[in-house]
Amino acid sequence: MFETPVMSEATDNRSSCADALVASIAAERRVVADRFRLVAGWADLHSPGHELADVTSDPSGNFSTSDTEVGADGTPAVTPAGIVELGMLLQTTTRSAEALLRDVLELRHRLPAHWSAVMAGRLEGWKGRQVAKLTRQLSFEQARRVDAMVIDAVIGVPWGRAQSVVEGKVIAVDPEGHQARLDAEENRRFVST
């Protein structure tokens, strides 16, 4: 379906091949930004109270007006049917669709600097999703603070180093929560052994 010749007129020399590679990165970032924008729009159309979401059916065929808190503090709810339909549209599982939806909503609502960077093509979508995951346990205000503190590192340094910066700032804005998570992990390991 996507087969193309290994070499074409556009890639028959080093310079044009290099230009095509750089252009492919920009094109990939545009596609990801467009998908994120569409997923966020889908969530808006399937939020409680939206006229299209008022009466939806769940996978069992029962009608429901319930909503699901998909993301962390400060993100809007989405109807269960909206999540299922998103999975079908993206040709993926409901769980994968929900994970994408969660990350996108957390980027848009909790991490606006990262959202803007993804939308502008300055940041890869996968990096934005990783920051959303790393900040998920924070409150809305704490996530916003981390967003502003780490955006330059996430854009400007390799991911391994940027991840360390994000993790450090998460601990810095929520030291009590970090200690509680460490204690819970220790208890979980103790119980499982």
Side-chain angles (χ1 to χ4, degrees):
M1 181 168 156
F2 293 106
E3 290 183 32
T4 56
V6 174
M7 293 297 286
S8 68
E9 291 180 23
T11 60
D12 61 357
N13 65 55
R14 286 183 185 181
S15 177
S16 59
C17 185
D19 292 343
L21 285 169
V22 170
S24 74
I25 292 169
E28 181 179 19
R29 288 184 182 184
R30 269 192 305 278
V31 168
V32 170
D34 287 345
R35 177 165 294 170
F36 282 16
R37 192 177 298 109
L38 290 168
V39 168
W42 186 261
D44 294 341
L45 293 171
H46 291 83
S47 64
H50 191 277
E51 65 272 5
L52 295 178
D54 282 343
V55 179
T56 59
S57 69
D58 67 20
S60 66
N62 299 322
F63 286 95
S64 169
T65 58
S66 64
D67 55 303
T68 302
E69 294 294 328
V70 177
D73 180 34
T75 59
V78 179
T79 63
I83 298 168
V84 172
E85 291 174 27
L86 179 63
M88 293 184 329
L89 291 170
L90 294 176
Q91 301 175 14
T92 190
T93 65
T94 301
R95 182 170 285 202
S96 293
E98 185 174 2
L100 175 62
L101 186 64
R102 175 182 302 113
D103 294 344
V104 165
L105 290 176
E106 289 177 5
L107 277 168
R108 184 174 69 167
H109 293 276
R110 293 167 48 92
L111 304 165
H114 287 76
W115 173 260
S116 294
V118 170
M119 293 300 108
R122 295 183 303 122
L123 178 64
E124 296 94 335
W126 70 267
K127 285 183 181 179
R129 291 186 72 182
Q130 289 299 315
V131 175
K133 289 174 186 155
L134 291 170
T135 58
R136 187 160 292 143
Q137 71 278 2
L138 299 177
S139 70
F140 177 81
E141 294 80 15
Q142 291 168 333
R144 286 283 180 106
R145 286 182 23 220
V146 170
D147 177 52
M149 290 189 282
V150 303
I151 186 65
D152 291 336
V154 175
I155 290 173
V157 300
W159 174 246
R161 288 176 45 206
Q163 181 178 0
S164 296
V165 171
V166 175
E167 290 170 346
K169 296 301 182 185
V170 165
I171 293 168
V173 301
D174 187 22
E176 296 83 16
H178 174 68
Q179 187 60 50
R181 288 185 292 278
L182 288 177
D183 294 344
E185 177 62 21
E186 183 65 28
N187 289 337
R188 187 197 62 77
R189 280 188 293 187
F190 178 73
V191 170
S192 65
T193 53

